[in-house]
Amino acid sequence: MRLLVVEDDQELADGLASSLAQSSYAVDTYPTAELAFAAATIQNYDVIVLDLGLPDGDGVDLLKRLRERGVRSPVIIITARDQLTDRVRGLDGGADDYLVKPIALSELDARIRVQLRRQQAEPFTLRFAAVGLDAVHRQAIVDGKALDCTAKEYAILEVLVRAQGRIVAKDRIFDGIYDAESDTSPAAVEVHISRLRRKLTAANSNVSIRALRGLGYRLEASA
Ligand code: CA
């Protein structure tokens, strides 16, 4: 587990770094928004601990820039400012949690563990609306419940989820689920899709498979 600590108070930064290192984290510390931005866009951190008052800018602005860059690491804000507006700004800016200085190291440690657990509880790398795919176990999840589908149905759903609502030609779905030697006809795809549709409906999913005549299929999400 690798952590980034962005804090310009050298004494505090050193204290956090040595305390977190004792908890077996690898810790990088940077005192400015610019250095932290450069580090966080290169290295994938498991958690970022972010001070709001930095010498070259505001921590919330840094956070927004990181989110815009696609940095998804959980961020815990630490600030001396305990006013409500700062907390709200931080959370609105994409922070996951905040702590008010002076910080109890044991509490920071506990909050970091919460963020790490949260990440592990969401193993889905693929998602379309309410449908998540656990690609490791090849299991579809709808609204937190496992969808009981066959291997072929899962494979079709994965092709469609990867397309994120774009149309997928029937031939491409066929190629994706049958090997070259298969003597099954492309019409078999339709059978699997109609079963999958029924299962998505039965699961009360807001996701449906739409057939576009002569073009293929795509996923649609209703509000
Ligand atoms: Ca500061």
Side-chain angles (χ1 to χ4, degrees):
M1 296 291 166
R2 197 171 192 90
L3 310 184
L4 171 63
V5 173
V6 190
E7 171 58 72
D8 60 313
D9 179 335
Q10 194 63 50
E11 203 178 318
L12 178 57
D14 290 347
L16 292 177
S18 64
S19 157
L20 294 169
Q22 274 176 23
S23 303
S24 305
Y25 297 115
V27 185
D28 295 337
T29 63
Y30 291 100
T32 67
E34 272 325 296
L35 290 171
F37 182 78
T41 48
I42 296 166
Q43 171 79 44
N44 194 10
Y45 290 102
D46 295 291
V47 174
I48 298 173
V49 178
L50 176 63
D51 177 34
L52 284 191
L54 296 168
D56 59 340
D58 184 79
V60 176
D61 293 336
L62 169 62
L63 173 55
K64 285 182 185 159
R65 281 172 65 208
L66 289 173
R67 292 301 187 228
E68 279 164 19
R69 261 301 181 91
V71 173
R72 292 277 151 263
S73 317
V75 169
I76 301 173
I77 281 175
I78 49 173
T79 174
R81 295 175 269 173
D82 60 347
Q83 283 157 3
L84 185 64
T85 48
D86 285 328
R87 292 184 223 165
V88 172
R89 268 185 71 235
L91 295 172
D92 279 350
D96 299 90
D97 200 357
Y98 67 88
L99 278 173
V100 175
K101 292 178 186 174
I103 297 160
L105 292 172
S106 57
E107 186 178 10
L108 177 61
D109 218 2
R111 302 282 187 102
I112 288 170
R113 284 198 301 274
V114 167
Q115 295 303 327
L116 294 173
R117 272 202 303 274
R118 215 174 262 175
Q119 277 179 303
Q120 283 155 5
E122 288 178 22
F124 310 118
T125 44
L126 290 170
R127 178 173 285 285
F128 182 85
V131 175
L133 299 181
D134 176 352
V136 176
H137 302 100
R138 299 187 66 73
Q139 172 70 62
I141 314 277
V142 175
D143 284 333
K145 289 192 210 85
L147 188 74
D148 181 22
C149 55
T150 65
K152 291 269 189 287
E153 289 161 4
Y154 174 85
I156 291 171
L157 196 55
E158 187 174 315
V159 170
L160 290 170
V161 168
R162 280 184 193 282
Q164 291 289 300
R166 290 186 298 274
I167 298 169
V168 185
K170 197 196 289 182
D171 287 353
R172 233 195 81 208
I173 295 179
F174 182 77
D175 292 344
I177 65 172
Y178 293 104
D179 57 47
E181 271 93 272
S182 172
D183 54 3
T184 312
S185 83
V189 168
E190 288 172 30
V191 175
H192 291 303
I193 284 184
S194 75
R195 285 187 193 141
L196 193 50
R197 265 199 185 124
R198 279 202 296 275
K199 288 175 181 179
L200 286 171
T201 307
N204 273 327
S205 161
N206 65 344
V207 174
S208 57
I209 301 170
R210 168 105 185 266
L212 295 111
R213 207 179 170 77
L215 293 173
Y217 299 92
R218 74 166 178 227
L219 288 184
E220 288 185 347
S222 57

mmCIF file of all heavy atoms in Angstrom, residues 2-31:
data_model
loop_
_atom_site.group_PDB
_atom_site.id
_atom_site.type_symbol
_atom_site.label_atom_id
_atom_site.label_comp_id
_atom_site.label_asym_id
_atom_site.label_seq_id
_atom_site.Cartn_x
_atom_site.Cartn_y
_atom_site.Cartn_z
ATOM 1 N N ARG A 2 0.592 2.136 -0.943
ATOM 2 C CA ARG A 2 1.408 3.330 -1.084
ATOM 3 C C ARG A 2 0.553 4.570 -0.816
ATOM 4 O O ARG A 2 -0.513 4.719 -1.390
ATOM 5 C CB ARG A 2 1.983 3.387 -2.492
ATOM 6 C CG ARG A 2 3.122 4.336 -2.615
ATOM 7 C CD ARG A 2 3.808 4.205 -3.962
ATOM 8 N NE ARG A 2 5.069 4.923 -3.929
ATOM 9 C CZ ARG A 2 6.219 4.378 -3.572
ATOM 10 N NH1 ARG A 2 6.282 3.115 -3.250
ATOM 11 N NH2 ARG A 2 7.317 5.107 -3.541
ATOM 12 N N LEU A 3 1.026 5.426 0.069
ATOM 13 C CA LEU A 3 0.280 6.622 0.442
ATOM 14 C C LEU A 3 1.023 7.877 0.021
ATOM 15 O O LEU A 3 2.251 7.902 0.002
ATOM 16 C CB LEU A 3 0.063 6.685 1.956
ATOM 17 C CG LEU A 3 -0.507 5.455 2.674
ATOM 18 C CD1 LEU A 3 -0.727 5.786 4.143
ATOM 19 C CD2 LEU A 3 -1.797 4.993 2.032
ATOM 20 N N LEU A 4 0.250 8.908 -0.299
ATOM 21 C CA LEU A 4 0.826 10.220 -0.579
ATOM 22 C C LEU A 4 0.352 11.177 0.510
ATOM 23 O O LEU A 4 -0.848 11.275 0.771
ATOM 24 C CB LEU A 4 0.353 10.724 -1.952
ATOM 25 C CG LEU A 4 0.688 12.169 -2.312
ATOM 26 C CD1 LEU A 4 2.198 12.386 -2.380
ATOM 27 C CD2 LEU A 4 0.051 12.546 -3.654
ATOM 28 N N VAL A 5 1.298 11.841 1.150
ATOM 29 C CA VAL A 5 0.960 12.858 2.144
ATOM 30 C C VAL A 5 1.376 14.217 1.579
ATOM 31 O O VAL A 5 2.546 14.426 1.243
ATOM 32 C CB VAL A 5 1.680 12.594 3.497
ATOM 33 C CG1 VAL A 5 1.449 13.754 4.462
ATOM 34 C CG2 VAL A 5 1.198 11.290 4.107
ATOM 35 N N VAL A 6 0.403 15.118 1.423
ATOM 36 C CA VAL A 6 0.689 16.461 0.913
ATOM 37 C C VAL A 6 0.527 17.418 2.086
ATOM 38 O O VAL A 6 -0.591 17.672 2.541
ATOM 39 C CB VAL A 6 -0.289 16.857 -0.220
ATOM 40 C CG1 VAL A 6 0.180 18.142 -0.892
ATOM 41 C CG2 VAL A 6 -0.431 15.732 -1.234
ATOM 42 N N GLU A 7 1.639 17.912 2.593
ATOM 43 C CA GLU A 7 1.622 18.734 3.810
ATOM 44 C C GLU A 7 2.875 19.597 3.825
ATOM 45 O O GLU A 7 3.978 19.085 3.679
ATOM 46 C CB GLU A 7 1.575 17.811 5.046
ATOM 47 C CG GLU A 7 1.765 18.492 6.385
ATOM 48 C CD GLU A 7 0.739 19.575 6.655
ATOM 49 O OE1 GLU A 7 -0.434 19.227 6.908
ATOM 50 O OE2 GLU A 7 1.092 20.765 6.599
ATOM 51 N N ASP A 8 2.701 20.931 3.974
ATOM 52 C CA ASP A 8 3.855 21.831 3.933
ATOM 53 C C ASP A 8 4.476 22.059 5.314
ATOM 54 O O ASP A 8 5.589 22.569 5.417
ATOM 55 C CB ASP A 8 3.472 23.182 3.305
ATOM 56 C CG ASP A 8 2.377 23.873 4.099
ATOM 57 O OD1 ASP A 8 1.383 23.206 4.433
ATOM 58 O OD2 ASP A 8 2.517 25.076 4.396
ATOM 59 N N ASP A 9 3.763 21.683 6.365
ATOM 60 C CA ASP A 9 4.341 21.761 7.710
ATOM 61 C C ASP A 9 5.285 20.563 7.862
ATOM 62 O O ASP A 9 4.854 19.424 8.039
ATOM 63 C CB ASP A 9 3.192 21.692 8.737
ATOM 64 C CG ASP A 9 3.695 21.734 10.182
ATOM 65 O OD1 ASP A 9 4.857 21.346 10.433
ATOM 66 O OD2 ASP A 9 2.912 22.137 11.051
ATOM 67 N N GLN A 10 6.603 20.867 7.768
ATOM 68 C CA GLN A 10 7.607 19.810 7.695
ATOM 69 C C GLN A 10 7.552 18.864 8.898
ATOM 70 O O GLN A 10 7.652 17.644 8.759
ATOM 71 C CB GLN A 10 9.006 20.435 7.590
ATOM 72 C CG GLN A 10 10.087 19.446 7.183
ATOM 73 C CD GLN A 10 9.835 18.864 5.786
ATOM 74 O OE1 GLN A 10 9.592 19.604 4.837
ATOM 75 N NE2 GLN A 10 9.866 17.549 5.658
ATOM 76 N N GLU A 11 7.349 19.470 10.069
ATOM 77 C CA GLU A 11 7.331 18.666 11.297
ATOM 78 C C GLU A 11 6.154 17.692 11.290
ATOM 79 O O GLU A 11 6.301 16.502 11.588
ATOM 80 C CB GLU A 11 7.229 19.603 12.499
ATOM 81 C CG GLU A 11 7.743 18.995 13.791
ATOM 82 C CD GLU A 11 7.662 20.012 14.938
ATOM 83 O OE1 GLU A 11 8.004 21.194 14.683
ATOM 84 O OE2 GLU A 11 7.252 19.621 16.036
ATOM 85 N N LEU A 12 4.990 18.211 10.896
ATOM 86 C CA LEU A 12 3.802 17.370 10.828
ATOM 87 C C LEU A 12 3.964 16.293 9.753
ATOM 88 O O LEU A 12 3.640 15.122 9.968
ATOM 89 C CB LEU A 12 2.558 18.231 10.553
ATOM 90 C CG LEU A 12 1.226 17.483 10.404
ATOM 91 C CD1 LEU A 12 0.922 16.642 11.637
ATOM 92 C CD2 LEU A 12 0.083 18.475 10.143
ATOM 93 N N ALA A 13 4.498 16.700 8.587
ATOM 94 C CA ALA A 13 4.693 15.747 7.490
ATOM 95 C C ALA A 13 5.605 14.606 7.921
ATOM 96 O O ALA A 13 5.312 13.429 7.660
ATOM 97 C CB ALA A 13 5.271 16.469 6.274
ATOM 98 N N ASP A 14 6.701 14.952 8.616
ATOM 99 C CA ASP A 14 7.631 13.920 9.076
ATOM 100 C C ASP A 14 6.963 13.006 10.094
ATOM 101 O O ASP A 14 7.158 11.788 10.087
ATOM 102 C CB ASP A 14 8.880 14.560 9.707
ATOM 103 C CG ASP A 14 9.750 15.252 8.663
ATOM 104 O OD1 ASP A 14 9.522 15.014 7.451
ATOM 105 O OD2 ASP A 14 10.633 16.035 9.059
ATOM 106 N N GLY A 15 6.181 13.617 10.988
ATOM 107 C CA GLY A 15 5.477 12.833 12.005
ATOM 108 C C GLY A 15 4.497 11.852 11.383
ATOM 109 O O GLY A 15 4.450 10.677 11.754
ATOM 110 N N LEU A 16 3.721 12.333 10.400
ATOM 111 C CA LEU A 16 2.759 11.468 9.710
ATOM 112 C C LEU A 16 3.488 10.355 8.970
ATOM 113 O O LEU A 16 3.094 9.183 9.036
ATOM 114 C CB LEU A 16 1.926 12.292 8.706
ATOM 115 C CG LEU A 16 0.949 13.321 9.274
ATOM 116 C CD1 LEU A 16 0.274 14.093 8.150
ATOM 117 C CD2 LEU A 16 -0.101 12.640 10.149
ATOM 118 N N ALA A 17 4.556 10.744 8.265
ATOM 119 C CA ALA A 17 5.279 9.758 7.466
ATOM 120 C C ALA A 17 5.842 8.646 8.339
ATOM 121 O O ALA A 17 5.717 7.463 8.005
ATOM 122 C CB ALA A 17 6.395 10.446 6.677
ATOM 123 N N SER A 18 6.445 9.015 9.481
ATOM 124 C CA SER A 18 7.058 7.951 10.291
ATOM 125 C C SER A 18 5.990 7.108 10.977
ATOM 126 O O SER A 18 6.134 5.886 11.102
ATOM 127 C CB SER A 18 8.068 8.522 11.300
ATOM 128 O OG SER A 18 7.404 9.336 12.222
ATOM 129 N N SER A 19 4.890 7.756 11.372
ATOM 130 C CA SER A 19 3.815 6.988 11.991
ATOM 131 C C SER A 19 3.179 6.013 11.000
ATOM 132 O O SER A 19 2.923 4.847 11.318
ATOM 133 C CB SER A 19 2.760 7.959 12.541
ATOM 134 O OG SER A 19 1.511 7.324 12.653
ATOM 135 N N LEU A 20 2.941 6.477 9.776
ATOM 136 C CA LEU A 20 2.312 5.624 8.768
ATOM 137 C C LEU A 20 3.268 4.523 8.301
ATOM 138 O O LEU A 20 2.840 3.415 7.984
ATOM 139 C CB LEU A 20 1.825 6.460 7.581
ATOM 140 C CG LEU A 20 0.677 7.428 7.918
ATOM 141 C CD1 LEU A 20 0.426 8.397 6.782
ATOM 142 C CD2 LEU A 20 -0.595 6.646 8.245
ATOM 143 N N ALA A 21 4.565 4.862 8.291
ATOM 144 C CA ALA A 21 5.550 3.851 7.913
ATOM 145 C C ALA A 21 5.551 2.712 8.925
ATOM 146 O O ALA A 21 5.745 1.551 8.576
ATOM 147 C CB ALA A 21 6.935 4.480 7.803
ATOM 148 N N GLN A 22 5.307 3.057 10.199
ATOM 149 C CA GLN A 22 5.231 2.014 11.235
ATOM 150 C C GLN A 22 4.039 1.098 11.015
ATOM 151 O O GLN A 22 4.039 -0.052 11.447
ATOM 152 C CB GLN A 22 5.133 2.656 12.615
ATOM 153 C CG GLN A 22 6.497 2.981 13.196
ATOM 154 C CD GLN A 22 6.386 3.705 14.522
ATOM 155 O OE1 GLN A 22 5.375 3.603 15.213
ATOM 156 N NE2 GLN A 22 7.431 4.433 14.859
ATOM 157 N N SER A 23 3.002 1.620 10.352
ATOM 158 C CA SER A 23 1.847 0.789 10.023
ATOM 159 C C SER A 23 2.075 0.055 8.693
ATOM 160 O O SER A 23 1.133 -0.429 8.075
ATOM 161 C CB SER A 23 0.590 1.640 9.920
ATOM 162 O OG SER A 23 0.365 2.337 11.114
ATOM 163 N N SER A 24 3.329 0.020 8.251
ATOM 164 C CA SER A 24 3.738 -0.728 7.059
ATOM 165 C C SER A 24 3.236 -0.159 5.738
ATOM 166 O O SER A 24 3.048 -0.889 4.777
ATOM 167 C CB SER A 24 3.306 -2.199 7.151
ATOM 168 O OG SER A 24 3.810 -2.756 8.318
ATOM 169 N N TYR A 25 2.997 1.162 5.703
ATOM 170 C CA TYR A 25 2.680 1.776 4.425
ATOM 171 C C TYR A 25 3.951 2.373 3.833
ATOM 172 O O TYR A 25 4.822 2.827 4.569
ATOM 173 C CB TYR A 25 1.664 2.915 4.590
ATOM 174 C CG TYR A 25 0.328 2.497 5.123
ATOM 175 C CD1 TYR A 25 -0.118 2.950 6.361
ATOM 176 C CD2 TYR A 25 -0.496 1.657 4.382
ATOM 177 C CE1 TYR A 25 -1.362 2.576 6.853
ATOM 178 C CE2 TYR A 25 -1.741 1.270 4.879
ATOM 179 C CZ TYR A 25 -2.160 1.741 6.109
ATOM 180 O OH TYR A 25 -3.388 1.362 6.583
ATOM 181 N N ALA A 26 4.012 2.376 2.508
ATOM 182 C CA ALA A 26 5.068 3.146 1.841
ATOM 183 C C ALA A 26 4.525 4.558 1.707
ATOM 184 O O ALA A 26 3.416 4.744 1.225
ATOM 185 C CB ALA A 26 5.362 2.556 0.471
ATOM 186 N N VAL A 27 5.277 5.542 2.172
ATOM 187 C CA VAL A 27 4.749 6.908 2.222
ATOM 188 C C VAL A 27 5.647 7.879 1.454
ATOM 189 O O VAL A 27 6.848 7.939 1.682
ATOM 190 C CB VAL A 27 4.630 7.410 3.683
ATOM 191 C CG1 VAL A 27 3.962 8.779 3.728
ATOM 192 C CG2 VAL A 27 3.851 6.415 4.530
ATOM 193 N N ASP A 28 5.053 8.638 0.538
ATOM 194 C CA ASP A 28 5.744 9.744 -0.118
ATOM 195 C C ASP A 28 5.155 11.025 0.442
ATOM 196 O O ASP A 28 3.941 11.148 0.549
ATOM 197 C CB ASP A 28 5.506 9.733 -1.630
ATOM 198 C CG ASP A 28 6.101 8.498 -2.301
ATOM 199 O OD1 ASP A 28 7.029 7.908 -1.718
ATOM 200 O OD2 ASP A 28 5.629 8.121 -3.381
ATOM 201 N N THR A 29 6.006 11.993 0.800
ATOM 202 C CA THR A 29 5.476 13.278 1.266
ATOM 203 C C THR A 29 5.959 14.387 0.347
ATOM 204 O O THR A 29 7.113 14.382 -0.102
ATOM 205 C CB THR A 29 5.921 13.609 2.709
ATOM 206 O OG1 THR A 29 7.342 13.726 2.735
ATOM 207 C CG2 THR A 29 5.488 12.548 3.692
ATOM 208 N N TYR A 30 5.047 15.324 0.041
ATOM 209 C CA TYR A 30 5.397 16.487 -0.773
ATOM 210 C C TYR A 30 4.803 17.722 -0.122
ATOM 211 O O TYR A 30 3.671 17.697 0.361
ATOM 212 C CB TYR A 30 4.879 16.338 -2.198
ATOM 213 C CG TYR A 30 5.602 15.264 -2.969
ATOM 214 C CD1 TYR A 30 5.050 14.004 -3.132
ATOM 215 C CD2 TYR A 30 6.870 15.512 -3.504
ATOM 216 C CE1 TYR A 30 5.726 13.006 -3.820
ATOM 217 C CE2 TYR A 30 7.564 14.522 -4.194
ATOM 218 C CZ TYR A 30 6.980 13.281 -4.351
ATOM 219 O OH TYR A 30 7.660 12.301 -5.016
ATOM 220 N N PRO A 31 5.567 18.856 -0.144
ATOM 221 C CA PRO A 31 5.106 20.060 0.555
ATOM 222 C C PRO A 31 4.312 21.030 -0.319
ATOM 223 O O PRO A 31 3.781 22.011 0.200
ATOM 224 C CB PRO A 31 6.423 20.708 1.003
ATOM 225 C CG PRO A 31 7.411 20.311 -0.044
ATOM 226 C CD PRO A 31 6.963 18.977 -0.580
#
